[in-house]
Amino acid sequence: MLLRSGILTSSEGEVVALENAMGASGVVIVCEHASSVLPKSAGDLGLSPEALSSHIAWDPGALAIARKVSEALDAVLVHQRFSRLIYDCNRPPESPAAMPEKSEIFEIPGNRALSVAERYARTAALYIPFHDRISAEISRLEAEGRKPVVVTMHTFTPVYFGKPREVEIGILHDTDSRLADAMLEAAQGGPYRVERNSPYGPEDGVTHTLRLHAIPQGFANVMIEVRNDLVRDAAGVEAISSYLADLISGALERVA
Amino acid sequence: MLLRSGILTSSEGEVVALENAMGASGVVIVCEHASSVLPKSAGDLGLSPEALSSHIAWDPGALAIARKVSEALDAVLVHQRFSRLIYDCNRPPESPAAMPEKSEIFEIPGNRALSVAERYARTAALYIPFHDRISAEISRLEAEGRKPVVVTMHTFTPVYFGKPREVEIGILHDTDSRLADAMLEAAQGGPYRVERNSPYGPEDGVTHTLRLHAIPQGFANVMIEVRNDLVRDAAGVEAISSYLADLISGALERVA
């Protein structure tokens, strides 16, 4: 059997999903943590149903926001169809967080002492195709004469290690803060509590996708984090998405 | 531009070469360090011509031996077409030796402080396709009802950090020593100085290919290291290859 098929068989479908592929803008929306689905081979990784549906498996609501923002900006959306518990596509293979043995308060038995063959199969099956696809979409935009912009969409849990988080929307950046600066300025005095590099920042390794696809190339980029209690229903998703789409498009006019 | 094309363009050809693809045996010969060729994008990595043709770039003579052994055993041969200085396919991405900043006495300026985008591109362009191809060949052998055996072929430098090495042929193994044991027993009293796990062993991380493709699957396997001064001419290659082919086939009869 192929090593990578030990993780994912072809009957489980592509790992990457593309939506609004004909989007006319230069923006690429990326959602690395869109899904809590585990490949069949993974079983339950030794986790409870609660853990498997919690924020350690995915970013609840992130895909819903990403879809609305993608529509509003007429931007292509690229999202991962499998859980970050198997491979966190916002981390390189050399990061312990790529296939974590622990996430927040949860031990992940199925990720303990992975063999090199298991690590290889997960990297080959989930990480490489995901970023190859983003890279291909960006290349296409360039070939079409558009100026690519990379926006990654995440949500975070309102309570982490028992502590409530006050921030509602985080605007995160790495070394290139152009788009983030413009968004943060426009967010002042607005309806949400919006903060820079919060609830974490580049020092936590969360800007991997930006470092791969935007920073070396000089493309404007930003990572957005929304507190997930704000997007638990359709009205919340609608409000946040509409707010973010306006924030991004306004900022892009000033940055571009 | 595609991230991986930043390392290697399609005009430079496939990274993996297959020879004797119709070989009738179950043996797969692997040569990770067959080539000293650098992708054009790499320039000279800041190295002198001497360093670029030395053992830090490849295993001189290993491909020549691998070809002869592949013929003698009627075994498929899989080899990497680019230098290990760009990506050492016998190391996982999380190993510092995969894209080394230093090798023996040589600093490698072009590998210093690689960005995550460069690391990704090298991994995607060179490491993943190489092992996917080995995995595909092994799957094919299994589908054809054969019992796969993995043999990796290497050479080592006679002088390392200024010290001469006495061993002539190393028979290396990881946790499964069946094939190595049988070869070492048969080598006793023979024409070459043959040693177990020498000049290095699994603790040095050199059994990565075996750990990927043979050990989890329970396939017989061995890593062979030949001191490269023994294969500097055609007669040396012929003598060593013929010796090794006999050693392997004899051992396989006892192990299988």
Side-chain angles (χ1 to χ4, degrees):
Chain A
M1 186 174 67
L2 278 175
L3 271 180
R4 60 165 76 196
S5 307
I7 292 301
L8 203 63
T9 62
S10 52
S11 68
E12 293 173 82
E14 299 289 327
V15 299
V16 193
L18 221 69
E19 297 186 23
N20 201 14
M22 304 294 288
S25 86
V27 178
V28 180
I29 313 275
V30 176
C31 200
E32 302 98 328
H33 305 149
S35 169
S36 62
V37 172
L38 292 177
K40 286 175 197 144
S41 68
D44 61 9
L45 290 175
L47 290 168
S48 68
E50 290 70 27
L52 287 174
S53 61
S54 80
H55 70 95
I56 72 163
W58 65 322
D59 285 356
L63 179 58
I65 306 170
R67 282 180 167 144
K68 293 275 182 194
V69 172
S70 151
E71 278 169 37
L73 301 182
D74 204 9
V76 62
L77 163 63
V78 185
H79 58 95
Q80 171 58 259
R81 290 189 53 249
F82 293 94
S83 169
R84 68 168 158 206
L85 288 171
I86 294 299
Y87 193 106
D88 183 337
C89 282
N90 198 25
R91 295 293 189 287
E94 59 270 26
S95 164
M99 300 167 251
E101 296 192 20
K102 190 170 183 182
S103 179
E104 201 203 1
I105 54 172
F106 300 95
E107 300 280 345
I108 306 165
N111 285 353
R112 210 174 285 151
L114 291 176
S115 71
V116 289
E118 288 169 309
R119 296 180 62 87
Y120 172 83
R122 292 183 184 201
T123 304
L126 294 156
Y127 173 71
I128 300 288
F130 184 70
H131 288 290
D132 267 6
R133 192 60 189 262
I134 297 172
S135 181
E137 286 305 306
I138 290 174
S139 297
R140 177 181 61 78
L141 294 176
E142 284 186 288
E144 292 170 5
R146 295 190 244 174
K147 205 168 168 183
V149 174
V150 179
V151 176
T152 68
M153 193 62 71
H154 294 255
T155 65
F156 62 93
T157 180
V159 179
Y160 195 62
F161 284 111
K163 286 192 184 154
R165 285 159 157 172
E166 298 299 326
V167 55
E168 294 180 306
I169 297 175
I171 305 293
L172 286 71
H173 60 82
D174 201 280
T175 50
D176 176 358
S177 66
R178 288 173 295 161
L179 188 53
D181 290 344
M183 288 174 70
L184 283 159
E185 200 182 326
Q188 283 180 8
Y192 295 104
R193 180 161 172 173
V194 182
E195 294 180 9
R196 182 189 300 269
N197 286 334
S198 174
Y200 17 73
E203 67 281 6
D204 301 301
V206 298
T207 51
H208 182 59
T209 294
L210 305 182
R211 287 183 193 171
L212 282 180
H213 299 291
I215 289 172
Q217 300 85 350
F219 302 147
N221 65 88
V222 70
M223 174 176 179
I224 300 174
E225 285 276 5
V226 175
R227 209 175 64 199
N228 71 31
D229 58 311
L230 299 174
V231 289
R232 286 209 176 124
D233 57 28
V237 169
E238 187 59 50
I240 286 278
S241 304
S242 155
Y243 174 74
L244 287 175
D246 287 350
L247 203 61
I248 296 166
S249 57
L252 279 176
E253 276 171 33
R254 294 159 64 198
V255 164
Chain B
M1 186 173 67
L2 278 175
L3 271 180
R4 61 166 75 196
S5 307
I7 292 301
L8 203 64
T9 62
S10 52
S11 68
E12 293 174 81
E14 298 290 327
V15 299
V16 194
L18 221 68
E19 297 186 23
N20 201 14
M22 304 295 287
S25 86
V27 178
V28 179
I29 313 275
V30 176
C31 200
E32 302 98 329
H33 305 149
S35 169
S36 62
V37 172
L38 292 178
K40 286 174 197 144
S41 68
D44 61 9
L45 291 174
L47 291 168
S48 68
E50 290 69 28
L52 286 173
S53 61
S54 80
H55 70 95
I56 72 163
W58 65 321
D59 285 356
L63 180 58
I65 306 170
R67 281 180 167 143
K68 293 275 183 194
V69 172
S70 151
E71 278 169 36
L73 301 181
D74 205 9
V76 61
L77 163 63
V78 185
H79 59 95
Q80 171 58 258
R81 289 188 54 249
F82 293 94
S83 170
R84 68 168 158 205
L85 287 171
I86 293 299
Y87 193 106
D88 183 337
C89 282
N90 197 26
R91 294 293 190 288
E94 59 269 26
S95 164
M99 299 167 251
E101 296 192 21
K102 191 170 183 181
S103 180
E104 201 203 1
I105 54 172
F106 300 95
E107 300 280 344
I108 306 165
N111 285 353
R112 208 174 287 150
L114 291 176
S115 71
V116 289
E118 288 169 310
R119 297 180 61 87
Y120 172 83
R122 293 183 184 201
T123 305
L126 294 156
Y127 173 71
I128 300 288
F130 184 70
H131 288 290
D132 267 7
R133 192 60 189 262
I134 297 172
S135 182
E137 287 304 306
I138 290 174
S139 297
R140 177 181 61 78
L141 294 176
E142 284 186 287
E144 292 170 5
R146 295 189 244 174
K147 206 168 167 182
V149 174
V150 179
V151 176
T152 68
M153 192 63 71
H154 294 255
T155 65
F156 61 93
T157 180
V159 179
Y160 194 62
F161 284 111
K163 286 191 184 154
R165 285 159 158 172
E166 298 299 326
V167 55
E168 294 181 305
I169 298 176
I171 305 293
L172 286 71
H173 60 82
D174 200 280
T175 51
D176 176 357
S177 66
R178 288 173 296 161
L179 188 53
D181 290 344
M183 288 174 70
L184 283 159
E185 201 182 326
Q188 283 180 8
Y192 295 104
R193 181 161 172 172
V194 182
E195 293 180 10
R196 182 189 300 269
N197 287 335
S198 175
Y200 17 73
E203 67 280 7
D204 301 301
V206 297
T207 52
H208 182 60
T209 295
L210 305 182
R211 287 182 193 170
L212 282 180
H213 299 291
I215 289 172
Q217 300 85 350
F219 301 147
N221 65 89
V222 70
M223 174 175 179
I224 300 174
E225 285 276 5
V226 175
R227 209 176 64 199
N228 71 32
D229 58 311
L230 299 174
V231 289
R232 287 209 175 123
D233 58 28
V237 169
E238 187 60 49
I240 285 278
S241 304
S242 155
Y243 174 74
L244 287 175
D246 287 350
L247 203 61
I248 296 166
S249 57
L252 279 175
E253 276 171 34
R254 294 159 64 197
V255 163

